[in-house]
Amino acid sequence: MLAKSAGSIKNAEMLAYLEICMEKYIINGGKPLYGNVSVSGAKNAALAIVSAAVLVDGTCVIENIPKIRDVAVHLNILRRLGASVKLINDKTVEINCSGIRTTNALFNDLTRKTRASYYFVGSLLGRFGAAHVSLSGGCNFGGVRPIDQHIKGFEQLGAKVDVRSGIFHAECPDGLIGSSVFFDISSVGATMNIMLAAVKAKGMTYLENAAKEPHIVDLANFLNTMGADIKGAGTDIIKIRGVSKLRSGFYSIIPDQIEAGTYMAAVSACGGEIIINDVITKHLDCISAKLAEMGVEVEDLGDAVRVRRTGELSRTNITILPYPGYPTDMNPQTAVLLCLANGTSVMTETVWPSRFKYMDELKRMGAIVQVDGSSAVIEGVKALSGAPVEACDLRAGSALVIAGMAATGVTEISGIEHIERGYENLIPKLRSLGADIVTVNVADNDEASLGASV
Ligand code: EPZ
């Protein structure tokens, strides 16, 4: 029965995925945005927290979980491992992993759909002392995304690690021993993965040069709610005292900093005035400050921000840095603003130096950009013009949506499966603000255009 239902899940999933690959967005640009929009739970916190449920011996109820494809993939990995996963409602899931009896997550069809699937290495290793997980995938920024810091951290805790034949193997039959791990680079993934492995290790673990993003703090808060002993998340040094058991509990995921930033960029590009609800304004400080420099009005309303742009956008320079610096996941969306600003701006990307692939698509819309290694020199133009473009990754896709909404004329965006991975209800939310966007099936559209040409 389980096999059949797993098979039917797989078929249904595959059909849904193939269908979305046959769709595209059609945007009629030039409309200002007005109204209210609410932000969903943070994707990059949810992916880690769902994976962390493996460590909990009992039931965890997780609220404010975003209804996005990547989270569905992680919930299906849990199901295939033998966990019970129940959707209480659209935003709440009940997970019980006490039934998991395997350390093999050899589900290449699922793990390669997200980058974060490698968190199942940390959580399975942390609970069982062993993990065998098919390699992850995720957004491609022009090269393999390294995992050397993950390997270094697991080995530091006493695990034997081997990556071969597309599988990430980590084993420590005698149990992990707490240790000091000094990361060579600020890595969100490695910080979270080693945290997952360390929460039940014997003794103290110190993560030094740790990443400080809001989702790191959220994962630590989730684990502490379940009985872990983690201090210092959000600072350079995270101290973890190993505990023997994590108990059942209830947790609500923080709002998505980047989703909020994407709507801030949208109204800054299109003009108008919107209120973005259910945010943690502290997480938006770097974005708000930079938008203010460009002439956008950002007002802190406590658990919301009011964003208004009426005049011209001013040029500026941006250096992308780990949190609390300007976030790399706002790089593409912000570049659209620089394309529309008066004057020449420079953006320097220090996290994913080869992240500027999307600029070729913006050039199709009239952007004037010179990419030189990890920097982009952007000369502002009066307006972008609608064109057929293709999304190459999640945030680049959202940037093309913003560019299409701000441009004159019609923009067609293909590759929207990238966008649907990480934004909950992006199109309905933008339409509620006045954007003129529809999703069409490519087959229908081809017939329609064929009809038009006959
Ligand atoms: C996470 O990716 C996010 N993904 C990314 O968001 C985000 O861009 C990135 O953090 C930076 O904030 C998820 O959380 C699922 P890193 P991750 O390890 O963990 C180097 C989105 O749009 N590095 O912090 O893969 C790496 O090459 C996605 O939501 C190593 O050298 O990023 C990069 O230069 C896109 N060795 C830097 O560290 C390692 O072992 C930061 O990477 C790991 C990373």
Side-chain angles (χ1 to χ4, degrees), residues 49-62 78 82-84 94-101 123-124 126-128 196 199-200 222-223 225-228 243-250:
I49 287 170
V50 165
S51 312
V54 167
L55 289 156
V56 177
D57 196 1
T59 299
C60 39
V61 177
I62 304 169
L78 283 180
S84 151
E94 182 187 278
I95 300 172
N96 187 318
C97 293
S98 44
I100 293 181
R101 295 283 177 276
S123 57
L124 287 166
R127 174 167 167 192
F128 296 108
L196 291 168
V199 285
K200 296 181 79 176
F222 166 78
L223 290 166
T225 304
M226 306 296 157
V243 296
S244 56
K245 190 176 158 72
L246 294 188
R247 59 181 180 270
S248 301
F250 172 93

Side-chain angles (χ1 to χ4, degrees), residues 43-44 47 115-116 118-119 139 141 145-150 185-190 192 213 215 328-329 350-353 355 394-395:
K43 166 178 89 80
N44 293 344
L47 293 173
R115 165 79 171 167
Y118 54 30
Y119 293 141
C139 292
F141 300 133
R145 288 165 68 175
I147 54 172
D148 58 298
Q149 298 299 302
H150 300 243
I185 187 167
S186 166
S187 160
V188 167
M192 300 236 249
E213 275 67 7
H215 26 292
T328 179
D329 294 344
T350 69
V351 177
W352 302 109
R355 185 166 198 162
L394 168 60
R395 306 304 176 183

